[in-house]
Amino acid sequence: MSEEIIVAGWMDYEPADRDTMLRHLVEVGKRTLEEEPGCLDYAMTADPTDGRRIRVFERWVSQQALDEHFATPHIKDFRTAVAGLTRLGVSLQAHTVAASRPMR
C-alpha cells in the first residue's frame, strides 16, 4: 500500500498578478478533483494578510498520483495560461504521510 502525499506551502506573486493566478488555480483545481481520482484535496487560497501570497494544500493518494498529475492536459493548459505572471518566491514541500487519525 502506498502512502499519502501532502503538498503544502506558499507561492508569492506580484500583487497585480495574484488574483489572476488564483482564478487559474480555481479552474485547474476543479478539473484536478473531477478528473484525477488520485487527488483527495486541492486548495489554493489567498493569504488574508499578504497581498502577494497564495497558500497551497494538496492531498494525494500516492506519489505516483502526484507525478501523473503533472502530465495531464489541464496542467499543460494551466502552465501556458500563467506563463506571463510574475512569481516572486515559492516554498512548497511534499510530505509523506505515515499515519493519520481524527483530531477529535
Side-chain angles (χ1 to χ4, degrees), residues 10-13 18 22 45-48 50-55:
W10 54 265
M11 300 180 292
D12 284 349
Y13 282 84
R18 185 184 76 170
L22 280 168
T45 58
D47 187 308
D50 187 334
R52 303 167 304 153
R53 186 149 293 177
I54 297 169
R55 297 281 175 186

Side-chain angles (χ1 to χ4, degrees), residues 7 12 29-31 35 52-53 60 62 69 75 78 95:
V7 176
D12 284 349
K30 181 179 177 211
R31 290 192 60 193
E35 300 173 20
R52 303 167 304 153
R53 186 149 293 177
W60 297 87
S62 65
H69 168 67
I75 286 297
F78 167 76
H95 305 272

